[in-house]
Amino acid sequence: MKNPPVTRVLVIGYVWPEPRSSAAGGHMMQILETFLTQDWDITFSSPAAIGEHKADLAALGIRECSIELNSSSFDDFIRELAPDIVLFDRFMMEEQFGWRVEKHCPQALRVLETSDLQSLRDARQQRLKDYLKQQPDADDFTPLFAPALDEEFQLMAGTDLAKREIAAIYRCDISLMISDVEIRLLTEQFHVPPALLHWCPLLIEPPTRAFVPYDERAHFLSIGNFRHAPNWDAVLWMKNSLWPLIRQRLPGAQLHVYGAYTPPKATALHNPAQGFHVMNWAEDALQVMTAARICLAPLRFGAGIKGKLADAMLCGTPNITTPIGAEGMTDEQPWPGLIGQSASVLADAAVTLYQDRQAWTQAQENGRQLLAERYAPAFHGPELVRRLTQCRSELSQQRRANFTGSMLRHHLHKSTQYMAQWIEAKNRTL
């Protein structure tokens, strides 16, 4: 009996995955590892420069291939590869390469890894900017943290970014959503068909070992890629508002701020006299997280779900965050820390949890339980494979049902194709 043909997967990455630098990089690696459990043949490609913290994909048996934007060399590449599944990492890659994939591999399943809704994140960032213009000394950000979904829709609907991102979701056969809150936003407000979306949160093995106990930990920690705007805003808010309030109550407290790609503007905030230490990139993020007593994540805007808070749960480190930080990460399970909506409330929560051994230990166990109930790879990995397999088997019917996507592909891909060909021709003459 012949073995069934091997499923060939092509990933077109916005960047090369850096799992130790960002949650998006970690999520991509979790998806790739799920595919590897099926013995799928995987090629990862990207037009981006290789970053200093890139994962060693070749060591996992994944081929690596650099590709070019606006170049017909990609046509030869994908024709020869003939993938069964093409995964676009972020909607910008679907915009750039989607028409080429459809032209040369029309029967390949087109999958979009959204990571988070960038249009939602950007709309929230603009809302924060507008709020601070009106109230530059604001302490309480409650109005920003609990809008109804229809209010989020109103923020996003008029933006070019939302139109581009949601159009890419329609053009693909299925989109992976890391946050179920964002699924509700898309289905209830933008009326995206549920059949086009699949909930795929972070895939994390629940910790089974004993956590490092309260007495063996000290200090506060904040971690996150400095290139990610929500993280940088959180660092500034901590420096200017949160941390001074914590130090008033805990004069000996120390905050260690870790992040990849530390810019000079972040290094300039380093002030040991204030207990504010900018530590650059952490070689082992889980190790420094395990040594801390509290993880601070005062995010004033953002989208998706937060890898730093999942890492905190994995390490048994209670956290202090905002409703933005906790969004999409729990389904009414007890939170592994405390949530606040103003600098003063967050600072009080941080001091209280830092000093209360019993509450701290309970928060630690809440994190363990939350990971086990919501993020277990044993459930989400097979469910992802099942959904992709089902979509492949029902591809013709699904595409017929998604006329809007077909229409958008027709119009956008034609214009994108001619623009790409014009750019390529222009580059030849330079």
Side-chain angles (χ1 to χ4, degrees):
M1 181 182 293
K2 290 185 177 180
N3 293 325
V6 175
T7 298
R8 296 180 300 277
V9 179
L10 171 64
V11 181
I12 303 177
Y14 178 63
V15 294
W16 295 94
E18 296 189 2
R20 294 186 295 169
S21 299
S22 72
H27 194 233
M28 175 55 71
M29 292 304 298
Q30 292 161 3
I31 292 171
L32 294 176
E33 288 161 4
T34 298
F35 293 169
L36 288 172
T37 65
Q38 304 301 304
D39 294 324
W40 290 356
D41 183 82
I42 306 171
T43 300
F44 194 103
S45 63
S46 178
I50 293 178
E52 58 186 288
H53 307 308
K54 170 188 163 295
D56 186 357
L57 300 178
L60 298 174
I62 298 172
R63 283 185 298 277
E64 301 177 3
C65 184
S66 293
I67 54 177
E68 295 181 52
L69 298 172
N70 305 308
S71 172
S72 56
S73 62
F74 181 84
D75 302 347
D76 299 330
F77 164 68
I78 196 169
R79 271 198 304 265
E80 182 178 349
L81 186 64
D84 303 296
I85 299 173
V86 176
L87 175 66
F88 301 102
D89 175 28
R90 261 65 75 86
F91 75 91
M92 298 81 81
M93 292 299 94
E94 188 278 335
E95 287 182 330
Q96 287 285 342
F97 294 97
W99 70 270
R100 295 183 187 274
V101 171
E102 182 167 21
K103 180 177 180 181
H104 299 293
C105 298
Q107 292 308 305
L109 182 73
R110 295 185 288 267
V111 184
L112 177 62
E113 156 63 345
T114 61
S115 184
D116 64 7
L117 277 181
Q118 185 177 329
S119 52
L120 174 61
R121 179 182 1 120
D122 281 22
R124 286 173 168 175
Q125 183 176 14
Q126 186 58 52
R127 180 172 59 192
L128 173 63
K129 289 178 179 178
D130 294 343
Y131 188 77
L132 289 174
K133 283 180 183 178
Q134 299 169 3
Q135 303 182 55
D137 299 321
D139 168 77
D140 188 354
F141 294 90
T142 302
L144 308 186
F145 289 147
L149 290 180
D150 61 339
E151 293 179 46
E152 301 280 30
F153 172 76
Q154 295 299 328
L155 278 174
M156 298 167 63
T159 67
D160 290 346
L161 193 59
K163 293 168 186 173
R164 290 173 56 197
E165 190 166 29
I166 294 169
I169 289 173
Y170 268 103
R171 287 193 298 268
C172 289
D173 299 309
I174 188 166
S175 292
L176 309 184
M177 306 299 302
I178 202 168
S179 166
D180 53 357
V181 172
E182 292 176 6
I183 290 178
R184 286 180 50 220
L185 175 65
L186 290 174
T187 56
E188 295 177 15
Q189 299 299 319
F190 288 93
H191 304 296
V192 174
L196 296 181
L197 307 174
H198 177 71
W199 181 45
C200 182
L202 297 172
L203 283 66
I204 304 172
E205 289 288 354
T208 56
R209 67 191 182 284
F211 289 132
V212 175
Y214 175 89
D215 289 333
E216 296 179 21
R217 296 172 179 249
H219 307 314
F220 294 83
L221 171 139
S222 176
I223 193 165
N225 191 325
F226 284 110
R227 289 179 176 174
H228 192 52
N231 292 337
W232 174 238
D233 176 75
V235 169
L236 290 177
W237 196 29
M238 282 190 293
K239 173 69 172 179
N240 298 323
S241 299
L242 235 70
W243 189 243
L245 294 173
I246 292 173
R247 285 275 289 191
Q248 286 176 11
R249 302 264 300 278
L250 298 173
Q254 306 293 311
L255 171 61
H256 300 136
V257 181
Y258 291 90
Y261 302 105
T262 310
K265 63 182 180 180
T267 305
L269 300 180
H270 181 71
N271 191 327
Q274 297 174 351
F276 197 95
H277 305 268
V278 178
M279 308 295 289
N280 300 316
W281 184 65
E283 181 72 30
D284 187 335
L286 298 183
Q287 182 180 53
V288 297
M289 183 71 79
T290 298
R293 187 175 290 179
I294 298 289
C295 172
L296 293 179
L299 297 160
R300 294 193 289 188
F301 69 95
I305 61 177
K306 313 305 177 290
K308 61 177 69 64
L309 297 182
D311 283 348
M313 297 180 218
L314 187 61
C315 296
T317 307
N319 71 77
I320 303 297
T321 191
T322 64
I324 289 289
E327 181 182 85
M329 296 204 70
T330 181
D331 185 19
E332 299 184 358
Q333 295 98 334
W335 185 249
L338 295 170
I339 300 169
Q341 304 189 50
S342 69
S344 56
V345 169
L346 288 165
D348 286 344
V351 171
T352 298
L353 196 57
Y354 192 87
Q355 296 179 313
D356 189 334
R357 181 200 307 265
Q358 183 176 352
W360 185 93
T361 303
Q362 182 59 57
Q364 190 178 63
E365 289 304 315
N366 289 347
R368 188 197 299 272
Q369 188 67 27
L370 181 54
L371 287 180
E373 292 182 11
R374 194 167 172 85
Y375 299 98
F379 172 78
H380 291 290
E383 185 62 15
L384 173 60
V385 171
R386 184 199 66 78
R387 188 73 189 277
L388 296 182
T389 303
Q390 179 186 29
C391 285
R392 285 187 65 197
S393 67
E394 301 173 354
L395 192 56
S396 296
Q397 305 95 295
Q398 179 155 329
R399 287 180 176 173
R400 277 197 301 271
N402 181 23
F403 178 78
T404 299
S406 176
M407 179 174 61
L408 289 169
R409 285 198 308 276
H410 172 79
H411 288 287
L412 180 88
H413 286 176
K414 288 296 183 186
S415 60
T416 304
Q417 173 183 347
Y418 296 140
M419 176 60 74
Q421 290 171 338
W422 178 83
I423 292 172
E424 183 176 15
K426 183 173 180 291
N427 289 339
R428 286 199 208 100
T429 64
L430 296 178

